Amino acid sequence: MTGDRVAVSVALEMLLAGNRRFTAGTPEHPNQDAVRRAEVVPGQSPFAVLFGCSDSRLAAEIIFDRGLGDLFVVRTAGHVMGPEVLGSIEYGVSVLGSPLVVVLGHDSCGAVAAARAAVQGGAPATGYVRDVIERVTPSVLAARAAGCTEDADYIDTHLRHTVDLLIERSRVLADAVEAGSAAVLGLSYRLADGTARLVTARGLDG
């Protein structure tokens, strides 16, 4: 592994600082040169695990202005999870030493929209797309039960649900959060202006 483990607060600030540069149009493109490429050959110590939606508009290293070896990225449509996702995230925390796990959602999410349509009686999806929609449906039902009507509220509910599921299903993550060595949080990305807004957090001080 390269480098030292960073604290949760430091990792979060590195991520948010990169997003501020991106939204301001002043990216620094750190760790993207030949020197960095050589540095990470022996191993990796990413400062954050990013579990995001597969949407093509959510390229993590661009949104957060980072480079090689900085982020351990896992992506699925609608940031739905199965054993392979949980195993990948646990690997990032327990083996690679990342102190921060970020679930990244976004507005105009097709998976959430499809789940809302299915709940409202729309035509069912086919193939494995149906599986994705079914995994998002509990979040949609919870949002409806809470009286939500806006897209942002559905996205936020799904982010909170995903963060809660990570803690509930992974003993590794739950123990790390309880010990104060890791945090799991949800950020909502706004496509129009590129900002990432904190929605929920488990393990952050204060």
Side-chain angles (χ1 to χ4, degrees):
M1 292 171 54
T2 61
D4 298 321
R5 183 185 178 97
V6 298
V8 170
S9 58
V10 174
L12 179 57
E13 178 51 32
M14 290 171 66
L15 201 67
L16 296 181
N19 181 244
R20 289 192 294 269
R21 294 192 301 270
F22 170 69
T23 57
T26 57
E28 297 176 356
H29 306 294
N31 296 331
Q32 296 183 22
D33 56 12
V35 172
R36 179 62 169 180
R37 187 175 68 232
E39 286 178 349
V40 296
V41 169
Q44 57 175 321
S45 55
F47 69 83
V49 175
L50 198 141
F51 175 34
C53 181
S54 296
D55 192 292
S56 61
R57 298 165 291 184
L58 260 68
E61 285 86 354
I62 296 175
I63 289 170
F64 295 106
D65 191 28
R66 301 309 313 181
L68 298 172
D70 289 334
L71 304 176
F72 189 75
V73 180
V74 182
R75 297 173 69 180
T76 64
H79 52 79
V80 300
M81 72 181 76
E84 65 287 342
V85 168
L86 287 166
S88 297
I89 294 173
E90 287 185 352
Y91 181 82
V93 172
S94 63
V95 178
L96 301 181
S98 298
L100 185 65
V101 176
V102 174
V103 180
L104 183 65
H106 65 99
D107 56 351
S108 301
C109 178
V112 173
R116 289 180 69 178
V119 167
Q120 294 167 359
T126 60
Y128 285 103
V129 173
R130 179 185 298 179
D131 183 69
V132 172
I133 293 172
E134 288 175 350
R135 296 190 194 200
V136 179
T137 297
S139 299
V140 169
L141 293 174
R144 281 184 52 147
C148 297
T149 58
E150 300 298 323
D151 178 65
D153 295 325
Y154 277 85
I155 298 299
D156 288 357
T157 299
H158 186 44
L159 274 168
R160 293 188 186 97
H161 186 226
T162 304
V163 169
D164 289 345
L165 279 179
L166 283 173
I167 301 297
E168 291 170 10
R169 294 183 179 179
S170 171
R171 187 74 258 164
V172 169
L173 293 181
D175 288 347
V177 169
E178 185 175 353
S181 61
V184 182
L185 55 88
L187 295 179
S188 181
Y189 178 76
R190 183 177 169 83
L191 295 172
D193 60 23
T195 56
R197 172 178 56 89
L198 180 65
V199 173
T200 186
R202 303 281 292 271
L204 284 181
D205 294 334

